[in-house]
């Protein structure tokens, strides 16, 4: 579904990504792990069209997206949940969800099915439907950020640090929900510092260091890899 072919990304004169290459197959969860500053967020931003990358180096369903604007990439079926949630604090929960439907609602389609799915995954959002975004807890804001992305009807969901700042119990619930989203048919690429949690739900994983992919394997094998354990799993 997604293929990166020798992706370079520059910030000014500095090379942030060095020939990144990996793939995500339809129906799977892929995890991208690494330390702070490794280039994980930059990778997702390049896929989403938020920053420029090497021409024709990022393909979605066999089609290059590196020349496209971010809003066109969303219409193709890629939704991005950014680090820090980035919900609209002055809008209600329902209004935040409505915004994500703009790419397809203009064609006269109803949003009932998507809204029902989001409220089934996150029942608290239905209870908070009329509350403003700023009044939600950190965990509820993360639910809203994921729910908003799902309202865009994505084929591929990009998640950037979904566990950041959340209590352990909420993290556990969030990762269970990510598995459910995947089992319902959405492919997932997750960037996560909590390598144990990410690899425990993923099918395959990639290790990023200083803008380079240094290791790739099944998630199960990476969990058992001694060098990965030492560097990222706290062992």
């Amino acid at each position: 579904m997604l293929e990166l072919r020798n992706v370079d990304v520059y910030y000014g004169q500095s090379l942030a990504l060095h020939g990144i290459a990996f793939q995500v197959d339809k129906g799977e969860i892929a995890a991208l792990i690494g330390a702070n500053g490794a280039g994980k967020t930059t990778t997702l931003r390049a896929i989403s069209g938020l920053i420029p990358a090497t021409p024709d180096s990022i393909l979605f369903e066999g089609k290059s997206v590196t020349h496209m604007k971010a809003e066109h990439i969303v219409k193709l079926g890629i939704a991005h949940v950014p680090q820090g949630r980035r919900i609209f604090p002055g809008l209600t929960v329902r209004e935040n969800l409505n915004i994500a439907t703009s790419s397809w609602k203009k064609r006269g389609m109803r949003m009932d099915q998507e809204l029902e799915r989001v409220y089934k995954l996150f029942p608290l959002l239905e209870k908070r439907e009329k509350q403003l975004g700023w009044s939600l807890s950190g965990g509820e804001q993360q639910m809203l950020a994921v729910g908003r992305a799902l309202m865009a009807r994505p084929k591929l969901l990009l998640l950037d640090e979904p566990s950041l700042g959340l209590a352990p119990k909420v993290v556990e619930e969030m990762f269970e929900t990510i598995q459910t989203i995947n089992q319902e048919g959405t492919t997932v690429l997750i960037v996560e510092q909590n390598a144990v949690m990410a690899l425990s739900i993923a099918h395959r994983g990639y290790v990023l260091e200083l803008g380079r992919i240094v290791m790739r394997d099944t998630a199960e094998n990476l969990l058992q890899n001694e060098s990965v354990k030492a560097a990222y799993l706290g062992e």
Side-chain angles (χ1 to χ4, degrees):
M1 177 173 280
L2 177 72
E3 184 180 6
L4 276 65
R5 298 177 176 175
N6 298 316
V7 176
D8 291 342
V9 169
Y10 284 86
Y11 285 126
Q13 298 299 313
S14 300
L15 187 59
L17 296 183
H18 307 253
I20 293 289
F22 66 85
Q23 69 183 51
V24 181
D25 289 345
K26 183 178 180 180
E28 74 176 359
I29 299 175
L32 186 62
I33 65 172
N36 272 337
K40 305 185 302 296
T41 292
T42 297
T43 301
L44 293 194
R45 287 173 61 82
I47 295 168
S48 295
L50 298 174
I51 53 176
T54 313
D56 297 327
S57 60
I58 302 175
L59 284 74
F60 179 64
E61 296 187 322
K63 182 178 182 180
S64 174
V65 296
T66 46
H67 63 288
M68 294 184 181
K69 293 181 179 180
E71 57 265 34
H72 296 150
I73 292 174
V74 172
K75 289 179 181 179
L76 285 179
I78 299 178
H80 186 169
V81 180
Q83 185 176 350
R85 297 137 199 171
R86 301 292 182 90
I87 65 166
F88 297 98
L91 299 182
T92 66
V93 167
R94 179 64 178 266
E95 288 168 340
N96 267 275
L97 296 174
N98 286 352
I99 281 176
T101 67
S102 60
S103 63
W104 52 265
K105 196 177 178 184
K106 291 177 182 177
R107 302 196 293 270
M109 300 178 181
R110 295 176 62 85
M111 55 181 278
D112 301 2
Q113 187 174 345
E114 281 69 30
L115 197 61
E116 183 181 346
R117 180 192 184 196
V118 169
Y119 285 162
K120 184 178 179 181
L121 288 167
F122 303 113
L124 268 176
L125 293 184
E126 186 170 15
K127 295 179 181 178
R128 307 279 193 271
E129 188 178 52
K130 295 182 180 179
Q131 283 188 220
L132 296 177
W134 64 264
S135 70
L136 303 179
S137 69
E140 290 165 351
Q141 288 186 20
Q142 188 64 64
M143 294 175 197
L144 180 55
V146 174
R148 182 180 60 186
L150 292 176
M151 293 295 289
R153 295 180 171 176
K155 301 175 184 176
L156 173 65
L157 182 64
L158 308 179
L159 296 168
D160 194 353
E161 302 285 3
S163 74
L164 190 65
L166 302 184
K169 177 63 175 175
V170 180
V171 171
E172 189 175 316
E173 292 171 352
M174 178 58 66
F175 275 79
E176 288 175 356
T177 302
I178 292 168
Q179 281 186 294
T180 299
I181 291 168
N182 175 247
Q183 290 163 1
E184 290 178 350
T186 304
T187 305
V188 177
L189 173 59
I190 182 171
V191 156
E192 181 58 64
Q193 272 194 291
N194 189 333
V196 174
M197 290 296 292
L199 293 174
S200 68
I201 67 168
H203 300 93
R204 77 170 81 199
Y206 300 95
V207 180
L208 192 61
E209 288 184 4
L210 300 176
R212 303 176 190 273
I213 298 288
V214 296
M215 195 177 301
R216 64 189 71 221
D217 208 332
T218 65
E220 184 177 1
N221 286 345
L222 287 176
L223 277 171
Q224 302 304 319
N225 184 285
E226 293 303 322
S227 60
V228 173
K229 283 182 181 181
Y232 304 107
L233 306 185
E235 299 183 22

mmCIF file of all heavy atoms in Angstrom, residues 35-70:
data_model
loop_
_atom_site.group_PDB
_atom_site.id
_atom_site.type_symbol
_atom_site.label_atom_id
_atom_site.label_comp_id
_atom_site.label_asym_id
_atom_site.label_seq_id
_atom_site.Cartn_x
_atom_site.Cartn_y
_atom_site.Cartn_z
ATOM 1 N N ALA A 35 14.871 6.732 18.749
ATOM 2 C CA ALA A 35 15.016 7.739 19.800
ATOM 3 C C ALA A 35 14.498 9.095 19.328
ATOM 4 O O ALA A 35 14.209 9.291 18.143
ATOM 5 C CB ALA A 35 16.487 7.835 20.207
ATOM 6 N N ASN A 36 14.404 10.028 20.245
ATOM 7 C CA ASN A 36 14.067 11.404 19.890
ATOM 8 C C ASN A 36 15.074 11.947 18.883
ATOM 9 O O ASN A 36 16.280 11.745 19.032
ATOM 10 C CB ASN A 36 14.092 12.305 21.137
ATOM 11 C CG ASN A 36 12.759 12.331 21.854
ATOM 12 O OD1 ASN A 36 11.721 12.051 21.262
ATOM 13 N ND2 ASN A 36 12.785 12.650 23.131
ATOM 14 N N GLY A 37 14.577 12.626 17.860
ATOM 15 C CA GLY A 37 15.469 13.203 16.868
ATOM 16 C C GLY A 37 15.916 12.248 15.785
ATOM 17 O O GLY A 37 16.726 12.616 14.922
ATOM 18 N N ALA A 38 15.371 11.032 15.783
ATOM 19 C CA ALA A 38 15.786 10.041 14.790
ATOM 20 C C ALA A 38 15.206 10.321 13.410
ATOM 21 O O ALA A 38 15.724 9.847 12.403
ATOM 22 C CB ALA A 38 15.386 8.636 15.244
ATOM 23 N N GLY A 39 14.093 11.072 13.361
ATOM 24 C CA GLY A 39 13.459 11.372 12.084
ATOM 25 C C GLY A 39 12.099 10.736 11.901
ATOM 26 O O GLY A 39 11.554 10.737 10.799
ATOM 27 N N LYS A 40 11.512 10.229 12.966
ATOM 28 C CA LYS A 40 10.236 9.525 12.861
ATOM 29 C C LYS A 40 9.113 10.463 12.444
ATOM 30 O O LYS A 40 8.361 10.179 11.508
ATOM 31 C CB LYS A 40 9.890 8.846 14.200
ATOM 32 C CG LYS A 40 10.959 7.902 14.729
ATOM 33 C CD LYS A 40 10.525 7.162 15.981
ATOM 34 C CE LYS A 40 10.125 8.053 17.135
ATOM 35 N NZ LYS A 40 11.261 8.876 17.644
ATOM 36 N N THR A 41 8.988 11.579 13.157
ATOM 37 C CA THR A 41 7.946 12.552 12.818
ATOM 38 C C THR A 41 8.168 13.129 11.425
ATOM 39 O O THR A 41 7.217 13.327 10.657
ATOM 40 C CB THR A 41 7.910 13.686 13.867
ATOM 41 O OG1 THR A 41 7.452 13.140 15.115
ATOM 42 C CG2 THR A 41 6.970 14.807 13.446
ATOM 43 N N THR A 42 9.417 13.392 11.089
ATOM 44 C CA THR A 42 9.739 13.904 9.751
ATOM 45 C C THR A 42 9.272 12.937 8.672
ATOM 46 O O THR A 42 8.745 13.350 7.633
ATOM 47 C CB THR A 42 11.260 14.136 9.623
ATOM 48 O OG1 THR A 42 11.659 15.137 10.566
ATOM 49 C CG2 THR A 42 11.634 14.595 8.222
ATOM 50 N N THR A 43 9.437 11.649 8.906
ATOM 51 C CA THR A 43 9.001 10.637 7.940
ATOM 52 C C THR A 43 7.499 10.724 7.706
ATOM 53 O O THR A 43 7.031 10.727 6.559
ATOM 54 C CB THR A 43 9.382 9.228 8.432
ATOM 55 O OG1 THR A 43 10.801 9.149 8.616
ATOM 56 C CG2 THR A 43 8.951 8.166 7.437
ATOM 57 N N LEU A 44 6.719 10.811 8.781
ATOM 58 C CA LEU A 44 5.267 10.900 8.625
ATOM 59 C C LEU A 44 4.864 12.200 7.943
ATOM 60 O O LEU A 44 3.945 12.219 7.110
ATOM 61 C CB LEU A 44 4.576 10.799 9.988
ATOM 62 C CG LEU A 44 4.673 9.470 10.736
ATOM 63 C CD1 LEU A 44 3.654 9.437 11.882
ATOM 64 C CD2 LEU A 44 4.456 8.282 9.825
ATOM 65 N N ARG A 45 5.531 13.286 8.273
ATOM 66 C CA ARG A 45 5.203 14.573 7.654
ATOM 67 C C ARG A 45 5.509 14.552 6.154
ATOM 68 O O ARG A 45 4.797 15.171 5.354
ATOM 69 C CB ARG A 45 5.968 15.695 8.347
ATOM 70 C CG ARG A 45 5.416 16.018 9.734
ATOM 71 C CD ARG A 45 6.283 17.020 10.492
ATOM 72 N NE ARG A 45 6.380 18.295 9.784
ATOM 73 C CZ ARG A 45 5.471 19.252 9.842
ATOM 74 N NH1 ARG A 45 4.378 19.088 10.572
ATOM 75 N NH2 ARG A 45 5.644 20.386 9.193
ATOM 76 N N ALA A 46 6.552 13.835 5.770
ATOM 77 C CA ALA A 46 6.879 13.707 4.340
ATOM 78 C C ALA A 46 5.810 12.896 3.617
ATOM 79 O O ALA A 46 5.376 13.244 2.506
ATOM 80 C CB ALA A 46 8.244 13.068 4.165
ATOM 81 N N ILE A 47 5.367 11.799 4.242
ATOM 82 C CA ILE A 47 4.322 10.967 3.636
ATOM 83 C C ILE A 47 3.041 11.771 3.442
ATOM 84 O O ILE A 47 2.354 11.649 2.421
ATOM 85 C CB ILE A 47 4.046 9.724 4.515
ATOM 86 C CG1 ILE A 47 5.285 8.810 4.554
ATOM 87 C CG2 ILE A 47 2.834 8.944 3.993
ATOM 88 C CD1 ILE A 47 5.205 7.726 5.623
ATOM 89 N N SER A 48 2.722 12.629 4.416
ATOM 90 C CA SER A 48 1.480 13.410 4.379
ATOM 91 C C SER A 48 1.553 14.634 3.481
ATOM 92 O O SER A 48 0.557 15.335 3.323
ATOM 93 C CB SER A 48 1.104 13.859 5.795
ATOM 94 O OG SER A 48 0.810 12.760 6.607
ATOM 95 N N GLY A 49 2.724 14.922 2.943
ATOM 96 C CA GLY A 49 2.857 16.080 2.079
ATOM 97 C C GLY A 49 3.038 17.387 2.818
ATOM 98 O O GLY A 49 2.887 18.459 2.243
ATOM 99 N N LEU A 50 3.366 17.319 4.108
ATOM 100 C CA LEU A 50 3.547 18.531 4.904
ATOM 101 C C LEU A 50 4.937 19.138 4.718
ATOM 102 O O LEU A 50 5.133 20.324 4.981
ATOM 103 C CB LEU A 50 3.303 18.225 6.382
ATOM 104 C CG LEU A 50 1.888 17.752 6.728
ATOM 105 C CD1 LEU A 50 1.798 17.336 8.187
ATOM 106 C CD2 LEU A 50 0.872 18.849 6.433
ATOM 107 N N ILE A 51 5.898 18.309 4.296
ATOM 108 C CA ILE A 51 7.235 18.796 3.976
ATOM 109 C C ILE A 51 7.688 18.100 2.694
ATOM 110 O O ILE A 51 7.288 16.965 2.413
ATOM 111 C CB ILE A 51 8.246 18.521 5.110
ATOM 112 C CG1 ILE A 51 8.241 17.045 5.516
ATOM 113 C CG2 ILE A 51 7.985 19.410 6.300
ATOM 114 C CD1 ILE A 51 9.285 16.699 6.558
ATOM 115 N N PRO A 52 8.506 18.766 1.886
ATOM 116 C CA PRO A 52 8.925 18.174 0.611
ATOM 117 C C PRO A 52 9.933 17.053 0.789
ATOM 118 O O PRO A 52 10.739 17.062 1.715
ATOM 119 C CB PRO A 52 9.553 19.362 -0.140
ATOM 120 C CG PRO A 52 9.975 20.308 0.932
ATOM 121 C CD PRO A 52 8.990 20.152 2.049
ATOM 122 N N ALA A 53 9.864 16.089 -0.115
ATOM 123 C CA ALA A 53 10.801 14.959 -0.113
ATOM 124 C C ALA A 53 11.313 14.743 -1.538
ATOM 125 O O ALA A 53 10.852 15.390 -2.488
ATOM 126 C CB ALA A 53 10.103 13.704 0.395
ATOM 127 N N THR A 54 12.242 13.825 -1.677
ATOM 128 C CA THR A 54 12.779 13.487 -2.990
ATOM 129 C C THR A 54 11.641 13.175 -3.956
ATOM 130 O O THR A 54 10.745 12.395 -3.634
ATOM 131 C CB THR A 54 13.695 12.252 -2.886
ATOM 132 O OG1 THR A 54 14.592 12.424 -1.787
ATOM 133 C CG2 THR A 54 14.468 12.042 -4.168
ATOM 134 N N PRO A 55 11.647 13.764 -5.167
ATOM 135 C CA PRO A 55 10.565 13.510 -6.134
ATOM 136 C C PRO A 55 10.357 12.020 -6.405
ATOM 137 O O PRO A 55 11.319 11.260 -6.540
ATOM 138 C CB PRO A 55 11.042 14.240 -7.394
ATOM 139 C CG PRO A 55 11.928 15.329 -6.880
ATOM 140 C CD PRO A 55 12.621 14.751 -5.675
ATOM 141 N N ASP A 56 9.100 11.630 -6.459
ATOM 142 C CA ASP A 56 8.696 10.256 -6.807
ATOM 143 C C ASP A 56 9.283 9.191 -5.878
ATOM 144 O O ASP A 56 9.439 8.033 -6.271
ATOM 145 C CB ASP A 56 9.073 9.942 -8.260
ATOM 146 C CG ASP A 56 8.345 10.821 -9.252
ATOM 147 O OD1 ASP A 56 7.188 11.189 -8.965
ATOM 148 O OD2 ASP A 56 8.918 11.152 -10.296
ATOM 149 N N SER A 57 9.577 9.565 -4.635
ATOM 150 C CA SER A 57 10.165 8.598 -3.705
ATOM 151 C C SER A 57 9.140 7.999 -2.739
ATOM 152 O O SER A 57 9.452 7.050 -2.031
ATOM 153 C CB SER A 57 11.287 9.265 -2.898
ATOM 154 O OG SER A 57 10.785 10.373 -2.153
ATOM 155 N N ILE A 58 7.931 8.565 -2.706
ATOM 156 C CA ILE A 58 6.879 8.053 -1.828
ATOM 157 C C ILE A 58 5.689 7.653 -2.685
ATOM 158 O O ILE A 58 5.106 8.484 -3.375
ATOM 159 C CB ILE A 58 6.458 9.107 -0.789
ATOM 160 C CG1 ILE A 58 7.665 9.537 0.049
ATOM 161 C CG2 ILE A 58 5.349 8.555 0.109
ATOM 162 C CD1 ILE A 58 7.374 10.670 1.019
ATOM 163 N N LEU A 59 5.341 6.358 -2.636
ATOM 164 C CA LEU A 59 4.247 5.843 -3.450
ATOM 165 C C LEU A 59 3.135 5.305 -2.557
ATOM 166 O O LEU A 59 3.397 4.587 -1.592
ATOM 167 C CB LEU A 59 4.734 4.726 -4.377
ATOM 168 C CG LEU A 59 5.528 5.135 -5.625
ATOM 169 C CD1 LEU A 59 6.936 5.583 -5.234
ATOM 170 C CD2 LEU A 59 5.622 3.976 -6.608
ATOM 171 N N PHE A 60 1.904 5.664 -2.897
ATOM 172 C CA PHE A 60 0.727 5.155 -2.203
ATOM 173 C C PHE A 60 -0.136 4.433 -3.218
ATOM 174 O O PHE A 60 -0.553 5.018 -4.214
ATOM 175 C CB PHE A 60 -0.054 6.294 -1.553
ATOM 176 C CG PHE A 60 -1.294 5.849 -0.829
ATOM 177 C CD1 PHE A 60 -1.204 5.015 0.270
ATOM 178 C CD2 PHE A 60 -2.554 6.253 -1.244
ATOM 179 C CE1 PHE A 60 -2.348 4.603 0.947
ATOM 180 C CE2 PHE A 60 -3.690 5.855 -0.583
ATOM 181 C CZ PHE A 60 -3.588 5.014 0.520
ATOM 182 N N GLU A 61 -0.348 3.147 -2.990
ATOM 183 C CA GLU A 61 -1.066 2.287 -3.935
ATOM 184 C C GLU A 61 -0.471 2.404 -5.333
ATOM 185 O O GLU A 61 -1.182 2.469 -6.333
ATOM 186 C CB GLU A 61 -2.566 2.622 -3.926
ATOM 187 C CG GLU A 61 -3.220 2.326 -2.582
ATOM 188 C CD GLU A 61 -4.727 2.481 -2.593
ATOM 189 O OE1 GLU A 61 -5.219 3.430 -3.260
ATOM 190 O OE2 GLU A 61 -5.419 1.667 -1.962
ATOM 191 N N GLY A 62 0.853 2.447 -5.387
ATOM 192 C CA GLY A 62 1.572 2.463 -6.659
ATOM 193 C C GLY A 62 1.681 3.815 -7.333
ATOM 194 O O GLY A 62 2.290 3.933 -8.397
ATOM 195 N N LYS A 63 1.126 4.854 -6.708
ATOM 196 C CA LYS A 63 1.111 6.186 -7.312
ATOM 197 C C LYS A 63 1.956 7.147 -6.488
ATOM 198 O O LYS A 63 1.814 7.223 -5.269
ATOM 199 C CB LYS A 63 -0.328 6.693 -7.382
ATOM 200 C CG LYS A 63 -0.498 8.053 -8.040
ATOM 201 C CD LYS A 63 -1.975 8.423 -8.107
ATOM 202 C CE LYS A 63 -2.198 9.758 -8.806
ATOM 203 N NZ LYS A 63 -3.638 10.117 -8.879
ATOM 204 N N SER A 64 2.830 7.903 -7.160
ATOM 205 C CA SER A 64 3.664 8.867 -6.456
ATOM 206 C C SER A 64 2.808 9.982 -5.859
ATOM 207 O O SER A 64 1.922 10.530 -6.518
ATOM 208 C CB SER A 64 4.691 9.479 -7.416
ATOM 209 O OG SER A 64 5.405 10.524 -6.769
ATOM 210 N N VAL A 65 3.098 10.309 -4.593
ATOM 211 C CA VAL A 65 2.355 11.384 -3.935
ATOM 212 C C VAL A 65 3.270 12.543 -3.527
ATOM 213 O O VAL A 65 2.806 13.508 -2.903
ATOM 214 C CB VAL A 65 1.602 10.863 -2.685
ATOM 215 C CG1 VAL A 65 0.554 9.844 -3.085
ATOM 216 C CG2 VAL A 65 2.563 10.270 -1.657
ATOM 217 N N THR A 66 4.533 12.466 -3.875
ATOM 218 C CA THR A 66 5.476 13.482 -3.401
ATOM 219 C C THR A 66 5.245 14.852 -4.033
ATOM 220 O O THR A 66 5.736 15.856 -3.518
ATOM 221 C CB THR A 66 6.929 13.048 -3.654
ATOM 222 O OG1 THR A 66 7.056 12.554 -4.985
ATOM 223 C CG2 THR A 66 7.354 11.973 -2.685
ATOM 224 N N HIS A 67 4.525 14.902 -5.134
ATOM 225 C CA HIS A 67 4.247 16.187 -5.780
ATOM 226 C C HIS A 67 2.894 16.764 -5.364
ATOM 227 O O HIS A 67 2.520 17.850 -5.791
ATOM 228 C CB HIS A 67 4.249 16.005 -7.298
ATOM 229 C CG HIS A 67 3.175 15.091 -7.791
ATOM 230 N ND1 HIS A 67 3.225 13.732 -7.584
ATOM 231 C CD2 HIS A 67 2.007 15.331 -8.447
ATOM 232 C CE1 HIS A 67 2.138 13.180 -8.100
ATOM 233 N NE2 HIS A 67 1.383 14.122 -8.621
ATOM 234 N N MET A 68 2.166 16.033 -4.511
ATOM 235 C CA MET A 68 0.797 16.435 -4.179
ATOM 236 C C MET A 68 0.737 17.301 -2.927
ATOM 237 O O MET A 68 1.565 17.172 -2.029
ATOM 238 C CB MET A 68 -0.078 15.199 -3.945
ATOM 239 C CG MET A 68 -0.299 14.349 -5.166
ATOM 240 S SD MET A 68 -1.431 12.982 -4.788
ATOM 241 C CE MET A 68 -1.477 12.159 -6.385
ATOM 242 N N LYS A 69 -0.286 18.146 -2.864
ATOM 243 C CA LYS A 69 -0.559 18.903 -1.656
ATOM 244 C C LYS A 69 -1.188 17.979 -0.611
ATOM 245 O O LYS A 69 -1.799 16.962 -0.943
ATOM 246 C CB LYS A 69 -1.502 20.063 -1.965
ATOM 247 C CG LYS A 69 -0.894 21.129 -2.862
ATOM 248 C CD LYS A 69 -1.877 22.257 -3.097
ATOM 249 C CE LYS A 69 -1.271 23.349 -3.971
ATOM 250 N NZ LYS A 69 -2.219 24.465 -4.224
ATOM 251 N N ALA A 70 -1.040 18.382 0.649
ATOM 252 C CA ALA A 70 -1.513 17.541 1.749
ATOM 253 C C ALA A 70 -2.997 17.208 1.626
ATOM 254 O O ALA A 70 -3.416 16.073 1.867
ATOM 255 C CB ALA A 70 -1.230 18.230 3.082
#
